[in-house]
Amino acid sequence: MIQVICREETDIYNAYHITKAFYPSAEVTSQIEEKASNYVTVMVDGKAAASVAVEEIRESCAKNRKHLLDTLLYRQLERQTGRSLSWGVLTGVRPVKLALQKLTDGMGQDEFVRWFGESYLVSREKSELAWQVAGREKALLDRLDMKDGYSLYVGIPFCPTVCSYCSFSSGELSAWKGRIDDYLDALCRELCFIASESAGKRINTIYIGGGTPTTLSETQLERLLSCIGAYFPREHLLEFTVEAGRADSITRGKLSVLKRHGVTRISINPQTMQQKTLDEIGRRHTVGEVKEAFSLARSMGFDNINMDVIAGLPGETLADVKDTLRQIEQLCPDNLTVHSLAIKRAARMERHDDESAGRIGAMIEEAACAAGRMGMLPYYLYRQKNIAGNFENVGYAKVDKAGIYNILIMEEKQSIIAAGAGASTKILLKNAQPLPGSKKRKITNLIRQENVKAVDAYISRIDEMIERKGEWLWR
């Protein structure tokens, strides 16, 4: 049992996540004690393992206080556990934002690597990775219309089955079969509103995700894509992605619908090519079906196919991951997205003891080597809470095959208007304004709006979802 005790509420978030990264398998709790003698104390089995005293940071200015506190806590936990973290004191999900900002400001690679390591205790390997990704992101972002451009996300919250590690807003198709057409009714109403409000703006990317969009029937898929085609002009569209995702949802007929409607990029995501693991995590398809779906898509002319794999799935060894990568190399996709397993509260998977950081790191390194052999380079990166080994998720792509939407969702340089149950809209405002509902009158240039997650609530409350969008869209 590990307790993180803080004097001030503002210290809890970083102190908790730094501690959790050092003790990934342990149950970690946090609490505020305003009369505590130290700013932060970490108790392990009732004994103080680390503490940051008031006098250590009392003289620092407010701007540097939190960073100094994080660094002092990190150093003590590093000594206590005998290990370091590859991303140092960084607790956020977007470490590349820092690299992109420094690149934009004119900083060079060597200077950045040194600064990142000294300021945030990030390893040289991860500093260099962040810099490489930032350079490729910048090259793609420079092609986009940041003033009048936007991207569209469309959520289909249904899957053939729900994987045991999944925490997304999705449900098994069998539970919702009778309401999918009602869902599409509501979704098309929301899309119509977005298109009307966005007249005169330039749509740069469309991304249909989920869930698994190809759980829709051919007729339903045709209806959805026809709706998008009718409402959203294509002259400025650079990318149109659909997550085909699960091999057991892919048919020739559905791929024909995607092709007919101009979809340029699809994902066929095995997560692993080990049948024993697929069975354990609840993906009711075979390795053979993954290969058949991929080959079918290739034969029909899809020339930008992404495949996802997850490092750290329960029971998998480094040899298993190597074999998965060997089989994927034989298919030779255009994108490879490598995830480190992150089990969130909403997932059904039990929290097994975390694999050693060394083993997860070796899996990630093998994936990077496989991507290199396929002619791919890293182009986007993000982290998640509760991620195995405190590592990251990295997208690799061949030349001119990078997923533009993936970069936009990370870097928040363009408005992403989202439709569907559980969909998250990010509106970039023309001028910074007070954040709605903020007690401290926080000023922001980014408004986030979340649609309700439950499918039935989304259907019944669609007018509310539309009205909320209208309050901030294009302000």
Side-chain angles (χ1 to χ4, degrees):
M1 179 68 176
I2 297 175
Q3 292 176 292
V4 179
I5 302 170
C6 299
R7 281 181 58 166
E8 299 181 19
E9 185 175 359
T10 55
D11 298 331
I12 281 184
Y13 182 89
N14 282 18
Y16 171 85
H17 285 289
I18 290 172
T19 303
K20 182 65 177 174
F22 275 104
Y23 299 96
S25 301
E27 180 183 352
V28 180
T29 63
S30 59
Q31 64 189 69
I32 301 170
E33 289 185 8
E34 294 179 355
K35 296 182 179 180
S37 58
N38 298 317
Y39 275 124
V40 175
T41 300
V42 177
M43 305 291 292
V44 178
D45 295 329
K47 298 180 180 179
S51 61
V52 180
V54 173
E55 55 269 20
E56 290 182 276
I57 60 175
R58 179 178 286 154
E59 301 302 322
S60 63
C61 66
K63 183 178 179 180
N64 295 327
R65 177 188 171 280
K66 284 184 66 65
H67 185 69
L68 179 57
L69 190 153
D70 293 345
T71 301
L72 291 170
L73 178 62
Y74 177 96
R75 289 301 191 194
Q76 291 194 42
L77 291 173
E78 185 179 45
R79 289 193 295 271
Q80 177 72 20
T81 62
R83 57 184 291 254
S84 58
L85 305 176
S86 56
W87 287 102
V89 299
L90 291 179
T91 57
V93 300
R94 300 179 178 88
V96 177
K97 287 179 79 75
L98 293 167
L100 186 59
Q101 183 59 58
K102 293 299 182 182
L103 175 61
T104 303
D105 292 343
M107 184 177 280
Q109 178 175 344
D110 291 342
E111 184 183 0
F112 170 78
V113 170
R114 183 171 59 254
W115 171 81
F116 216 27
E118 292 174 354
S119 299
Y120 295 97
L121 311 181
V122 178
S123 70
R124 170 171 285 276
E125 177 191 10
K126 298 307 179 186
S127 297
E128 291 175 346
L129 176 61
W131 183 262
Q132 293 169 22
V133 171
R136 296 187 183 102
E137 285 190 350
K138 187 176 185 303
L140 282 167
L141 291 171
D142 286 346
R143 297 170 55 195
L144 303 182
D145 185 340
M146 297 305 180
K147 180 181 178 182
D148 292 317
Y150 72 102
S151 290
L152 175 70
Y153 175 85
V154 182
I156 305 298
F158 311 111
C159 280
T161 59
V162 178
C163 301
S164 57
Y165 56 79
C166 184
S167 64
F168 289 110
S169 303
S170 57
E172 290 198 15
L173 182 66
S174 58
W176 293 102
K177 259 191 172 178
R179 301 220 65 188
I180 293 180
D181 286 325
D182 292 337
Y183 179 79
L184 290 177
D185 286 343
L187 182 59
C188 286
R189 283 188 59 195
E190 189 175 16
L191 288 170
C192 178
F193 173 80
I194 292 170
S196 175
E197 291 294 302
S198 303
K201 303 297 180 181
R202 298 178 175 183
I203 186 168
N204 289 153
T205 75
I206 300 173
Y207 192 104
I208 303 180
T212 307
T214 43
T215 52
L216 299 179
S217 68
E218 287 179 35
T219 301
Q220 291 163 341
L221 201 55
E222 174 72 39
R223 179 186 174 191
L224 173 61
L225 293 177
S226 294
C227 171
I228 293 172
Y231 293 149
F232 296 93
R234 303 283 183 91
E235 59 262 35
H236 301 289
L237 192 65
L238 300 175
E239 175 183 278
F240 191 167
T241 298
V242 174
E243 287 189 8
R246 295 272 293 262
D248 47 348
S249 72
I250 297 171
T251 66
R252 179 179 292 275
K254 292 178 185 180
L255 290 175
S256 295
V257 173
L258 301 185
K259 198 69 180 172
R260 188 164 59 250
H261 285 276
V263 171
T264 61
R265 182 176 181 272
I266 63 173
S267 289
I268 299 174
N269 300 331
Q271 314 303 3
T272 177
M273 298 293 264
Q274 307 304 302
Q275 191 61 52
K276 62 181 181 180
T277 312
L278 290 173
D279 294 340
E280 181 174 348
I281 64 178
R283 293 178 75 89
R284 296 174 189 168
H285 60 77
T286 66
V287 172
E289 286 175 315
V290 173
K291 295 178 179 180
E292 290 169 7
F294 186 94
S295 297
L296 177 60
R298 273 286 194 248
S299 71
M300 295 177 67
F302 287 94
D303 62 0
N304 195 350
I305 304 177
N306 172 73
M307 300 189 87
D308 282 8
V309 295
I310 299 177
L313 287 170
E316 288 211 345
T317 65
L318 179 58
D320 291 328
V321 173
K322 286 182 177 181
D323 183 64
T324 288
L325 294 166
R326 177 188 61 79
Q327 295 184 62
I328 287 176
E329 282 186 69
Q330 291 175 347
L331 298 173
C332 201
D334 309 284
N335 293 191
L336 178 68
T337 305
V338 181
H339 299 272
S340 297
L341 180 66
I343 305 176
K344 300 181 182 179
R345 292 179 182 177
R348 293 183 292 108
M349 181 181 288
E350 294 181 6
R351 281 170 167 75
H352 299 273
D353 288 341
D354 290 73
E355 298 197 43
S356 71
R359 184 180 300 177
I360 297 290
M363 292 176 175
I364 292 171
E365 186 176 342
E366 284 293 333
C369 291
R373 290 192 295 268
M374 289 186 283
M376 300 180 191
L377 295 170
Y379 77 94
Y380 94 109
L381 178 156
Y382 69 102
R383 303 177 68 219
Q384 292 171 274
K385 297 172 187 175
N386 303 320
I387 200 166
N390 193 43
F391 288 109
E392 67 283 329
N393 305 316
V394 182
Y396 299 88
K398 295 179 179 178
V399 175
D400 296 328
K401 301 295 184 180
I404 301 171
Y405 175 85
N406 291 331
I407 295 173
L408 289 170
I409 200 71
M410 286 297 109
E411 297 305 328
E412 298 174 336
K413 300 290 187 180
Q414 187 185 73
S415 291
I416 296 176
I417 315 303
S424 178
T425 290
K426 296 180 180 181
I427 301 172
L428 286 179
L429 304 175
K430 294 178 182 177
N431 300 297
Q433 300 183 38
L435 183 66
S438 173
K439 295 179 180 179
K440 297 182 179 179
R441 299 289 288 175
K442 181 179 179 181
I443 303 299
T444 184
N445 65 345
L446 180 68
I447 296 292
R448 291 180 172 86
Q449 292 181 329
E450 307 284 341
N451 280 357
V452 292
K453 293 183 178 181
V455 172
D456 51 355
Y458 173 78
I459 294 169
S460 64
R461 296 170 58 186
I462 186 60
D463 289 335
E464 178 187 333
M465 302 300 102
I466 289 172
E467 183 178 352
R468 290 177 67 239
K469 275 190 171 60
E471 292 176 359
W472 288 97
L473 204 55
W474 306 120
R475 284 184 57 172

